[in-house]
């Protein structure tokens, strides 16, 4: 089949730079499409100088992991330190709380 929507498997493999977002209530869920080898995710959309993301990141969680994550919000983005062991093999979703 050809045409719009029939492109399954025709793209490059996903990397940790490929991130999809969903906002629900006060949380921003960031679905990182691949686990980074260095265990660091950079969410560039939430950089400290980005006028589209004026809020300050207050807390970062990894779904299906019971501890808060270390992070820093810089001009490069929000840099998140992931745990040494993946909590699951299926997805990497960051739950981010921001404050004004």
């Amino acid at each position: 089949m050809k045409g719009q929507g029939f492109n399954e498997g025709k793209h490059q493999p996903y990397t940790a730079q490929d991130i999809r977002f969903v906002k629900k209530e006060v949380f921003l869920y960031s679905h990182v499409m691949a686990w980074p080898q260095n265990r660091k995710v950079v969410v560039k959309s939430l950089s400290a100088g980005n006028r589209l993301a004026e809020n300050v990141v207050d807390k970062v969680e990894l779904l299906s992991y019971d501890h808060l994550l270390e992070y820093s919000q810089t001009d490069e983005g929000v840099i998140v330190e992931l745990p040494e062991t993946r909590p699951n093999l299926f997805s990497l979703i960051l739950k981010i709380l921001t404050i004004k």
Side-chain angles (χ1 to χ4, degrees):
M1 296 184 137
K2 295 181 180 179
Q4 184 176 354
F6 295 101
N7 55 10
E8 190 80 23
K10 295 181 182 177
H11 57 78
Q12 297 292 323
Y14 289 119
T15 69
Q17 289 78 38
D18 296 307
I19 302 174
R20 306 297 185 263
F21 299 97
V22 174
K23 176 112 171 125
K24 185 174 181 184
E25 299 171 2
V26 297
F27 295 102
L28 177 68
Y29 293 88
S30 301
H31 188 147
V32 183
M33 304 301 279
W35 188 271
Q37 290 184 353
N38 65 356
R39 296 185 7 254
K40 291 185 182 182
V41 172
V42 180
V43 183
K44 295 179 182 179
S45 304
L46 296 174
S47 64
N50 186 344
R51 67 175 179 81
L52 298 175
E54 297 172 345
N55 296 346
V56 175
V57 173
D58 186 50
K59 180 170 63 170
V60 179
E61 299 176 52
L62 174 61
L63 295 188
S64 66
Y65 182 67
D66 293 333
H67 307 284
L68 292 178
L69 300 176
E70 295 289 324
Y71 70 91
S72 59
Q73 189 170 16
T74 69
D75 288 339
E76 182 182 354
V78 172
I79 302 168
V80 181
E81 299 275 340
L82 298 175
E84 288 190 30
T85 305
R86 290 179 69 161
N88 66 60
L89 297 175
F90 305 107
S91 64
L92 168 53
I93 301 175
L94 301 174
K95 182 179 178 182
I96 301 172
L97 174 65
T98 61
I99 58 174
K100 290 194 175 209

